Structure formats: structure tokens, C-alpha cells
Amino acid sequence: MASEATGGMEAAHARDWRDLVDPVRLAAWMDTQGLGAGAVRDAVLLTGGTQNVLVRFRRGERDYVLRRPSRHPRADSDRTMLREARLLEALAGRPVPHPGFVAACADTGVIGAAFYLMAPVDGFNPGAEGLPPLHAGDRAIRRRMGLAMVEAILALGAVDAEAAGLADFGRVDGYLERQVPRWRKQLAGYAACAGWPGEASLPQVEAVADWLDAHRPARFTPGLVHGDFHLSNVMFRHDGPELAAVIDWELATLGDPLLDLGWLLATWPGPDGSHHSPNRVQPWDGFVTADELVAHYAARSPRDMGRIGWYEVLACFKLGIVLEGTHARACAGLAPEETGRRLHHAAQAQLRRAVARIERGRP
């Protein structure tokens, strides 16, 4: 899971970005694309994620954000990066708030990994940056923020994938059937990380997986799925409650869009704003409840909402396993130890949330 925002984040030291992006090679490649002229300048490393890198820089008269895999990439990181780029390019001109795509590079010889360029987003992330005075001072704005998030996934799920050139962006047949085995396999794969204590550190995994398999919906209406949709992966406009962009598209695919709603529910704070994440949004009063998120979606979508609880449990299950991946990498020295510890606790919390959702017993 990565929650990188493409603007308004605190910059790291310049020497860090030069370790990840050769400015001379980058400028030479940009010349071949007709993107500006002269040296890469005013570069800063944007913070926020654990699995990808964002560098904002200026060339010529334009600002850019470069996105590339981390210093310790996964085996499929380059492919994932190019899939993100393809999706953002396909979304251009469609009513889904997203960063503007500029160009992509599959040649890993340029900076050591595949990467793409996008336009900076003029917005803020409430999880990482908090609420600015306008939003913090108006309950009506805060209420609208949650509803705007629902409308973003409604718009994404309504995109005609074939018309957008994304008919092959995922395998729809067997999509729901593959979910539990696919994520169980990913969890088992963490055993390759030296020092990881294993599945025993997530004791609810097996019971949740069995429940999901036993209660899986029989059918769904396909559409585009963001795959990691929550408060830390959106940016809001500075002048009001609407979204400036949905960010961090690395888990996007063609599948069941109700999973995005389930993911939002799985990560939505309680009525008092409490949540396992340290990025708590305050003040929280005024934000809609989880039930209101569901009602807003249901009123605007023809999709069958009768099993939305299953999607929330699946989201908790998947998110717990994704978060545990950073813990496993940290155990092997491939991610910061404190980050790994924090995300391990978050993974455990997500699985406890899944169990609690199952025990409530309603759809």
C-alpha cells in the first residue's frame, strides 16, 4: 500500500532524489519526448509512500512529478508502473479526478527503473496534512468531502473500459473467486523475507478467508477498480470539498467496483474519528458515517448492494495482507523498521475489523 500525494508534501534532502533519478539522463530522455528544455531543476523528493518514489521538479517553464519504483523494487514494479501510466492516460477527459498524464518510459536504462511523468496536483491530502482552515471550520464542507469520494468511485466504475482501451486491463472471469487464493498466496510469499514471523502473527487470517469463500457473491457487474481507495489516497481542492485527484493507482484493475466502496468502508474512521492509522483527520464531526457512504452510493448506482458487507470484509482482509508486506520487508531490512512495526499493528487491526464486521451479521 502506498499513499503518495503529488503536491503539498514535505520535501526530503536533495541528495536522496539524485540517488534515484539521474537528472542528466532524465533531461536527455525528455528531449526525445519534446518536454521542455535545459536542466532539471528545483527537484524535491515527496514523502508519503513506502513502495514508490515521487520527485517533483521543474524543466523549462513547466513543473512535473516523476513516479518510479522504490529503492528496493518488487519483481513486478516496472510492469506495475507502466500499468498505472496506461490507466492515467486512458482516463484523460473522463469525469474521474486524477493526475494528468504526461509521458511514460519503459526503458530502465534511463534512471534504473520504469517511470512516468504526470502533472502536479493542486490540492491537499487530509490524512497526511490535516484540514486547512476553510475545511476545518465548516461542517458542511466536511460532509461533502465524504460524498465527493463516493462520487469519484462511482465515476470510475462507470467508465466504459472497452471505449477507453482498457478491455484487457484485468481478467473479469473468476475475479471474485480469485480474491482469497490470490491474497493468501501473497501472504505466504512473505516467507521469503528473512526474519518475518509468519502467518501466526495474523491469527484471524484463516477464519476470515474461510468466511469470504463461504459467502462470496455469485455475480457482479464489471468495471474499473482503483484497489486502494481511502482518505490517504485522495487530494481535495483548496477552495472547497471537491476532489482534486485520486492518487496511487498501483492496484487498479478491471474487476468488481463494489470493492472500492468496501475498501472505503474498511478504512473509514468511526463516528468519533478514531482509527488505527496515525493520520487521523481532525475535526471529524460533520463527516458522513459509513452507512451514509453506502446510501449515497446505492442511490446513484444500479449495482446490487445486498452483499456490501462481504466487500467490506474482503477489503479488510486484503488491506491487512498488503500492510503486512511492508512489515515483512522491514524484517528483511528492506523498509524502515518503525514503518514495518506500525503497519504490522495496522494489519492486525484490519483483520480484527473484518471479524467484527462478520459478527455484526448484516449484509
Side-chain angles (χ1 to χ4, degrees), residues 14 18 69 78 116 146 159 165 170 200 280 285 292 311 319 337 350:
R18 289 179 185 275
D78 289 329
Y116 66 89
V159 170
R280 295 179 60 172
D285 69 291
E292 288 174 307
Y311 292 92
L319 181 52
E337 182 178 350
Q350 283 299 145

Side-chain angles (χ1 to χ4, degrees), residues 161-223:
E162 184 171 356
L166 297 171
D168 63 343
F169 201 66
R171 286 193 299 131
V172 172
D173 290 344
Y175 176 79
L176 294 184
E177 290 82 357
R178 290 195 304 272
Q179 292 303 306
V180 170
R182 181 254 186 270
W183 292 99
R184 287 298 302 268
K185 181 179 179 180
Q186 175 151 326
L187 181 63
Y190 298 159
C193 296
W196 181 59
E199 293 186 26
S201 62
L202 298 175
Q204 296 93 347
V205 159
E206 188 170 352
V208 173
D210 289 345
W211 184 91
L212 286 166
D213 275 338
H215 295 83
R216 182 174 55 245
R219 62 187 63 84
F220 67 94
T221 303

Side-chain angles (χ1 to χ4, degrees), residues 37 63 71 74 82 84 115 118 149 165 170 183 186 215 224 229 248-249 267 274 311-312 316 326:
D63 289 334
R71 199 182 306 270
R74 301 183 302 272
L82 296 174
E84 288 184 46
F115 67 92
M118 53 187 164
M149 290 186 66
W183 292 99
Q186 175 151 326
H215 295 83
L224 290 173
F229 190 78
D248 194 1
W249 293 85
T267 56
S274 61
Y311 292 92
E312 183 178 349
C316 291
T326 299

Side-chain angles (χ1 to χ4, degrees), residues 9-315:
M9 304 294 275
E10 184 177 346
H13 295 298
R15 65 175 182 272
D16 292 332
W17 75 264
R18 289 179 185 275
D19 290 341
L20 295 159
V21 179
D22 183 322
V24 175
R25 287 180 176 271
L26 175 60
W29 175 80
M30 292 180 71
D31 283 342
T32 69
Q33 306 298 306
L35 298 173
V40 169
R41 65 185 194 278
D42 303 333
V44 292
L45 184 65
L46 305 179
T47 62
T50 60
Q51 297 193 23
N52 292 290
V53 172
L54 290 164
V55 178
R56 179 168 180 159
F57 66 93
R58 189 167 183 82
R59 190 177 194 232
E61 300 303 315
R62 184 176 179 183
D63 289 334
Y64 302 86
V65 172
L66 179 149
R67 182 166 164 94
R68 59 150 289 167
S70 71
R71 199 182 306 270
H72 302 287
R74 301 183 302 272
D76 63 346
S77 289
D78 289 329
R79 183 184 70 86
T80 299
M81 197 60 44
L82 296 174
R83 272 176 57 86
E84 288 184 46
R86 178 187 172 192
L87 178 64
L88 291 180
E89 185 174 18
L91 290 179
R94 302 180 187 276
V96 180
H98 63 280
F101 173 79
V102 176
C105 178
D107 182 359
T108 59
V110 176
I111 64 169
F115 67 92
Y116 66 89
L117 302 181
M118 53 187 164
V121 176
D122 183 12
F124 72 94
N125 176 258
E129 303 171 69
L131 297 176
L134 175 66
H135 301 68
D138 192 327
R139 294 181 81 258
I141 286 181
R142 294 195 295 278
R143 176 177 176 79
R144 174 60 197 161
M145 290 170 72
L147 301 180
M149 290 186 66
V150 169
E151 289 166 18
I153 51 176
L154 282 165
L156 178 64
V159 170
D160 184 331
E162 184 171 356
L166 297 171
D168 63 343
F169 201 66
R171 286 193 299 131
V172 172
D173 290 344
Y175 176 79
L176 294 184
E177 290 82 357
R178 290 195 304 272
Q179 292 303 306
V180 170
R182 181 254 186 270
W183 292 99
R184 287 298 302 268
K185 181 179 179 180
Q186 175 151 326
L187 181 63
Y190 298 159
C193 296
W196 181 59
E199 293 186 26
S201 62
L202 298 175
Q204 296 93 347
V205 159
E206 188 170 352
V208 173
D210 289 345
W211 184 91
L212 286 166
D213 275 338
H215 295 83
R216 182 174 55 245
R219 62 187 63 84
F220 67 94
T221 303
L224 290 173
V225 181
H226 178 271
D228 192 13
F229 190 78
H230 54 88
L231 271 167
S232 291
N233 276 343
V234 295
M235 298 182 71
F236 288 91
R237 294 172 56 97
H238 291 291
D239 60 359
E242 302 305 317
L243 286 183
V246 179
I247 57 175
D248 194 1
W249 293 85
E250 71 175 82
L251 295 179
T253 190
L254 191 61
D256 187 342
L258 282 179
L259 184 53
D260 275 341
L261 179 58
W263 202 277
L264 181 59
L265 297 173
T267 56
W268 197 250
D272 62 351
S274 61
H275 198 264
H276 64 73
S277 171
N279 296 332
R280 295 179 60 172
V281 178
Q282 296 294 334
W284 185 254
D285 69 291
F287 277 92
V288 295
T289 65
D291 286 345
E292 288 174 307
L293 294 174
V294 173
H296 196 68
Y297 192 105
R300 290 158 178 79
S301 173
R303 300 181 190 278
D304 182 359
M305 304 290 290
R307 303 293 296 280
I308 192 59
W310 187 88
Y311 292 92
E312 183 178 349
V313 172
L314 176 61

Side-chain angles (χ1 to χ4, degrees), residues 326-361:
T326 299
H327 175 230
R329 288 161 62 83
C331 290
L334 301 177
E337 182 178 350
E338 174 54 33
T339 300
R341 185 182 305 112
R342 175 173 59 81
L343 294 186
H344 175 59
H345 293 321
Q348 292 176 318
Q350 283 299 145
L351 288 165
R352 289 195 298 270
R353 187 165 181 158
V355 171
R357 185 66 179 86
I358 291 170
E359 291 175 346
R360 289 211 299 271

